[in-house]
Amino acid sequence: AENTPLLRAPDAAAAETGAGDASTDAPSRRRDAVKNLHLDGDSLCGVRLGFDGVFATLSVTFIACVSVSCVAEEAMYKHLPGFDYFWTVAFAELLVFTIASFAGAGCAGTLRDVVRNRRAPLRLYVAQAIVMAVYAAIAKIAYKYLNYATGTVLRSTKLVFVMAISVVWLGRSYAPVEYAAATAMIVAVACFGLGEESSHSAGDDENHSLGYALSLAGLALAALQTNMAEHAMRDHGASTLENMLYVNGIGLVFVAIVAAYVDGAEAVTFMRTTPHAMELLAARSITFYFGALTFTELTRHSGATPATTVATARKGLTVLFSFALFPGDKPMSAWFAVGVAAFFVAIGLELKGRLVRAESRKREAAEAESEGSQ
């Protein structure tokens, strides 16, 4: 987000703070800055769409990119014969993100400043990168033993782990509706687990349990990495850009070493010789990146709460698409139906919780501003 500022720095300062020179035309310059801010929010790639039009276009683009990414991922894992190269997929995804991140920072002229003026300790970034790389890989390996819909629901329970670690480690607090969302998500996971049991034979129980164990371990590591990133940015004053560049760069080196050791040249041969393997890997990695990029732009344009609302709704579509497009390994049952319903309830409660938290922040900001004016 810091690589794509909405306005040039002087205009942004004037628009947001009313800052400017002391000349008589300062008020008109501030009005012009605010007007430019509004006009820029009405345009996308030079095309005037209106504020709602830009929001709708970015939302649809984000959902489309991530949906294609998830379909390509499921097709790769479940429909390529003999696929077992999950570290290679993690490497390809991280390679695209790292190249794009460093290229963007270089073009924006911020790369040198980030490298020279690092805020957080390097050891924190190394630890965060290793945690990120391991959870990204084992979360993919879990799909080897679970169907994609169940894996998606499990990964959505990251909320539960983030809340738990935040309460215990960082002393954060949450609204009752957020605890209700976490509870509904746990119910959804339980129902999907029972659905898995009903759709697999007894001989698959061990692998099924391993899939759950890997997913839960990945979620715990993902929650840990989220809190480590928050620690770097809040407690050490690191920027989002700094955290992203260091974690991606160090993580890419770590994943490359592990992928070379675990998957080796066999993965390259498989991707080159298996029909559609390379196309699916490229589609997964590239659309995943553009989905993240579009989400960043959506957040910049509309704010964190509307963007997160769209992202949360996308999770439900991913589960529905998985059942509709790849029903072979997960025939719909009563347990899956109840699990899907509980999952959508959890999504609704999560959105409600975010709206409650956003309103609380607005009230606190208004009270602080009122006290300051007095």
Side-chain angles (χ1 to χ4, degrees):
E2 294 178 20
N3 287 335
T4 54
L6 189 60
L7 298 172
R8 294 185 302 276
D11 295 335
E16 294 177 3
T17 67
D21 56 34
S23 61
T24 56
D25 66 341
S28 63
R29 291 181 62 184
R30 289 195 294 271
R31 286 194 298 270
D32 290 342
V34 174
K35 181 180 178 181
N36 290 336
L37 177 64
H38 176 73
L39 290 176
D40 197 43
D42 286 348
S43 301
L44 185 64
C45 299
V47 179
R48 289 291 303 279
L49 299 174
F51 188 88
D52 291 338
V54 173
F55 174 78
T57 301
L58 291 174
S59 298
V60 170
T61 303
F62 164 73
I63 291 174
C65 286
V66 178
S67 296
V68 170
S69 175
C70 291
V71 169
E73 185 179 34
E74 182 167 6
M76 186 164 45
Y77 296 166
K78 301 298 183 179
H79 296 279
L80 291 182
F83 181 88
D84 193 19
Y85 306 103
F86 299 95
W87 279 97
T88 300
V89 177
F91 171 75
E93 292 175 359
L94 195 53
L95 178 65
V96 172
F97 272 81
T98 303
I99 291 175
S101 299
F102 276 85
C107 292
T110 55
L111 180 59
R112 180 175 298 180
D113 181 67
V114 169
V115 173
R116 288 181 174 179
N117 301 300
R118 174 172 48 83
R119 297 291 188 87
L122 186 60
R123 64 180 181 276
L124 178 59
Y125 286 135
V126 171
Q128 190 183 160
I130 293 175
V131 169
M132 180 268 295
V134 173
Y135 92 68
I138 67 173
K140 298 179 187 305
I141 297 171
Y143 284 122
K144 183 177 179 180
Y145 309 106
L146 298 171
N147 72 60
Y148 198 82
T150 300
T152 299
V153 172
L154 275 169
R155 293 181 74 167
S156 298
T157 59
K158 178 182 176 182
L159 165 71
V160 178
F161 288 86
V162 171
M163 289 175 62
I165 294 178
S166 294
V167 169
V168 175
W169 183 22
L170 302 177
R172 307 280 188 258
S173 60
Y174 292 90
V177 67
E178 293 175 294
Y179 289 112
T183 302
M185 192 67 75
I186 293 172
V187 171
V189 169
C191 290
F192 268 82
L194 292 170
E196 286 270 9
E197 292 286 349
S198 66
S199 62
H200 285 74
S201 62
D204 294 327
D205 287 348
E206 182 179 355
N207 287 347
H208 173 237
S209 300
L210 179 59
Y212 263 83
L214 289 172
S215 291
L216 293 176
L219 286 168
L221 291 173
L224 177 60
Q225 191 259 330
T226 298
N227 284 278
M228 292 171 74
E230 183 178 2
H231 176 55
M233 291 184 283
R234 282 197 177 189
D235 299 335
H236 293 283
S239 66
T240 304
L241 178 62
E242 176 186 313
N243 188 81
M244 177 182 65
L245 291 178
Y246 275 95
V247 173
N248 283 356
I250 298 171
L252 179 64
V253 175
F254 178 80
V255 171
I257 294 172
V258 178
Y261 178 77
V262 175
D263 295 345
E266 184 180 339
V268 178
T269 302
F270 179 90
M271 292 297 175
R272 291 177 57 188
T273 59
T274 303
H276 309 301
M278 192 64 74
E279 292 90 334
L280 288 172
L281 180 62
R284 162 63 184 176
S285 302
I286 294 173
T287 55
F288 190 32
Y289 169 74
F290 278 105
L293 183 65
T294 306
F295 180 77
T296 299
E297 185 67 14
L298 181 62
T299 304
R300 181 184 71 85
H301 172 269
S302 306
T305 299
T308 304
T309 300
V310 174
T312 304
R314 192 275 312 163
K315 298 176 186 177
L317 290 178
T318 297
V319 172
L320 293 180
F321 284 156
S322 181
F323 275 102
L325 298 177
F326 305 100
D329 63 335
K330 46 185 176 300
M332 180 58 71
S333 65
W335 284 118
F336 278 137
V338 174
V340 170
F343 183 57
F344 276 92
V345 169
I347 288 175
L349 291 172
E350 182 181 348
L351 293 178
K352 177 64 176 177
R354 292 183 183 278
L355 292 174
V356 168
R357 188 170 287 273
E359 288 298 323
S360 176
R361 285 196 295 266
K362 288 181 181 179
R363 287 196 302 270
E364 291 174 358
E367 291 173 359
E369 183 178 355
S370 176
E371 294 175 359
S373 62
Q374 294 175 0

